[in-house]
Amino acid sequence: MPRPVQKGYKRKPLLESLTLDRRLRLALDDLGFAKASAVQQQVIPPALRGTDILFSAETGSGKTLAYLIPLVQRLLSEDYSSRDGPNAVILAPTRELARQIHKQCSALLSKTPFRSYAITGGEAFKYQQSLFRRAPEIIVATPGRLLEHSDKASTSLSETQILVLDEADRMLDLGFREDVLTLHGRCKGLSQTLMTSATMHHKAVIEVSKSLLRSPQRIDMDPAHQAHSQIEHQCMLADSPSHKDKLLVALLSSEAYSRALVFANKRSVVTRLSKLLRAGQLRCDCLHGDMTTEARRAVLTRFKDGKVSILCASDLAARGLDVEQLDLVVNYDMPSSPDSYLHRTGRTGRAGNSGVAISMVTAADWPALVSIEDQLQMQLSRRHLSGLKPHFKGLERQRLTRKSGARTHSKANRVDRNTGNEIPVKRRSKSKPHKQRKSGLIDGHAPLTKNRGPKKR
């Protein structure tokens, strides 16, 4: 049992109570890291002991440093002079997230002789082979590209000590299950495996964790699966896609923000919205999966440097995008699930800062809105712009289907997609039973018809 805290005793901050390498502490000082977040306080101590951990935490809570600090400390405190391949491998679902992790990892290694490289798709394969020849201690990679290098013997994973699967739920949703299992099997010398997930209730994550983790400690920092408290969640009702376009231009022209992120479900819509906003004299750019790595990196650099203030993006940017002073997120299209909604809106309100998330909702989007509100146990506040008030006021009669768990309109009435109004449907009256059927003179079979011969012409 833990020792009871005596009255008047002041508990030491986490970093003061831990024995960390001096070079790591200097790097943390350069980062301005003074106080550990809640997830870091829960994860860092058992991770330093080498325990396998599966933990969940909301975006912006500091989960990346929660596993990077003990990972770097373990590498600094142990002798890895005789090795073949990286000591630690961190897998991420997207290139953007991998580069973001690599940036923080390089900052922690700045006072040490250790090196970290990002290995992702979309970059020259031979150049990445040259990076492996420099014998980096830590590799941050996407599963598909690392498996390709492993197949072609660019590196060996046989002596990898620590494996981290960041945002494992997203990785499995993208179809990397077999790649992850294969890479884990090639790490013969593993002593620790860490997994992060947006939710502890993801079925695939639970199944895979049973295969990869040994007696893991489970840490759930968001058991209620609730939306971020530091974000103001709003919705704007719209009559049609063209009405959405007008609302979007008017909102971004009048709203006070430093940087805004606009999400759409399709790449074609992302491109169209970017052109629409530029035509409205707004500094805007777009980001989606059809772009090359160099082009995507250039767009993110312009966005972070403030050369553009609005970024239209697909869900590709919902993971791994960490931009300071991003205080507005707009869902032009409603996300497909509550998890997707949390990851999108979680791009703002990070590290204790406040933010605003606005979702645009038509009659077709209404079922997704209600499902998200129900599952996240929240209510999006309604908002409208003067001169652009919608005729659509929301739907009242809905039911929750047991199979899909999504809300659908009542079968009693049809819904006009333009106005959102319900159109009454005449119900068919039940036909009265035939007199002969009622009297029991027939047995339910169709009566024989007379053969009247060929029809007269």
Side-chain angles (χ1 to χ4, degrees), residues 280-333:
Q281 305 302 315
L282 295 170
R283 295 182 301 142
C284 179
D285 216 327
C286 64
L287 181 70
H288 54 74
D290 281 343
M291 302 169 64
T292 63
T293 300
E294 292 75 15
R296 287 155 66 174
R297 188 177 296 172
V299 168
L300 286 175
T301 300
R302 289 196 295 271
F303 187 53
K304 292 179 179 180
D305 292 344
K307 295 180 180 179
V308 295
S309 56
I310 304 169
L311 183 62
C312 297
S314 61
D315 277 313
L316 169 76
R319 309 255 179 168
L321 182 59
D322 189 6
V323 180
E324 295 181 359
Q325 297 180 345
L326 200 166
D327 39 20
L328 176 62
V329 170
V330 179
N331 287 318
Y332 179 86
D333 292 326

Side-chain angles (χ1 to χ4, degrees), residues 30 105 132 255:
D30 288 348
C105 189
F132 281 114
E255 187 81 358

Side-chain angles (χ1 to χ4, degrees), residues 83-360:
R83 58 184 178 80
D84 180 21
N87 302 132
V89 170
I90 303 171
L91 297 180
T94 64
R95 305 172 191 176
E96 283 70 27
L97 180 57
R99 286 195 288 270
Q100 182 64 36
I101 297 170
H102 166 62
K103 181 180 178 180
Q104 295 194 39
C105 189
S106 297
L108 291 182
L109 298 177
S110 60
K111 307 297 182 181
T112 74
F114 291 173
R115 285 170 290 189
S116 167
Y117 293 124
I119 304 296
T120 65
E123 296 183 346
F125 193 83
K126 290 186 178 180
Y127 170 71
Q128 291 180 345
Q129 286 180 317
S130 68
L131 296 181
F132 281 114
R133 288 194 290 271
R134 298 178 188 178
E137 285 73 17
I138 302 174
I139 287 293
V140 185
T142 50
R145 178 48 67 98
L146 182 59
L147 183 59
E148 189 177 358
H149 277 288
S150 179
D151 290 338
K152 296 187 177 181
S154 301
T155 186
S156 172
L157 303 177
S158 59
E159 295 187 18
T160 298
Q161 300 287 319
I162 304 172
L163 176 65
V164 179
L165 307 179
D166 199 353
E167 297 196 358
D169 53 333
R170 177 67 169 165
M171 213 177 305
L172 298 175
D173 288 342
L174 291 175
F176 289 124
R177 178 190 178 98
E178 296 303 321
D179 292 352
V180 168
L181 293 175
T182 301
L183 290 170
H184 179 270
R186 295 181 182 180
C187 299
K188 304 296 184 181
L190 274 182
S191 61
Q192 184 181 37
T193 303
L194 306 174
M195 289 179 65
T196 80
S197 175
T199 173
M200 298 287 280
H201 307 292
H202 194 284
K203 184 177 179 181
V205 171
I206 295 174
E207 293 177 355
V208 170
S209 66
K210 294 178 181 179
S211 302
L212 304 186
L213 306 182
R214 296 171 292 187
S215 302
Q217 180 172 339
R218 299 178 184 272
I219 301 174
D220 191 353
M221 299 302 298
D222 191 19
H225 195 56
Q226 296 177 347
H228 316 312
S229 57
Q230 67 272 21
I231 301 175
E232 184 179 355
H233 298 269
Q234 304 174 353
C235 79
M236 302 176 68
L237 302 183
D239 295 328
S240 63
S242 61
H243 190 199
K244 273 187 179 182
D245 291 348
K246 296 176 183 178
L247 286 171
L248 182 64
V249 175
L251 174 68
L252 295 177
S253 299
S254 59
E255 187 81 358
Y257 58 89
S258 299
R259 292 181 181 86
L261 187 58
V262 180
F263 281 106
N265 292 340
K266 295 182 179 179
R267 299 169 185 173
S268 58
V269 179
V270 169
T271 304
R272 182 181 68 80
L273 292 180
S274 178
K275 294 178 180 178
L276 174 70
L277 295 174
R278 283 198 293 265
Q281 305 302 315
L282 295 170
R283 295 182 301 142
C284 179
D285 216 327
C286 64
L287 181 70
H288 54 74
D290 281 343
M291 302 169 64
T292 63
T293 300
E294 292 75 15
R296 287 155 66 174
R297 188 177 296 172
V299 168
L300 286 175
T301 300
R302 289 196 295 271
F303 187 53
K304 292 179 179 180
D305 292 344
K307 295 180 180 179
V308 295
S309 56
I310 304 169
L311 183 62
C312 297
S314 61
D315 277 313
L316 169 76
R319 309 255 179 168
L321 182 59
D322 189 6
V323 180
E324 295 181 359
Q325 297 180 345
L326 200 166
D327 39 20
L328 176 62
V329 170
V330 179
N331 287 318
Y332 179 86
D333 292 326
M334 285 299 292
S336 58
S337 67
D339 284 342
S340 180
Y341 179 86
L342 290 179
H343 283 292
R344 284 185 180 187
T345 58
R347 297 308 100 195
T348 185
R350 300 174 71 86
N353 298 319
S354 60
V356 178
I358 303 175
S359 299
M360 296 186 172

Side-chain angles (χ1 to χ4, degrees), residues 15 24-36 65 107-108:
L15 293 184
L24 178 56
R25 286 188 176 275
L26 290 175
L28 290 172
D29 290 341
D30 288 348
L31 289 174
F33 188 87
K35 183 179 180 181
L65 284 180
L108 291 182

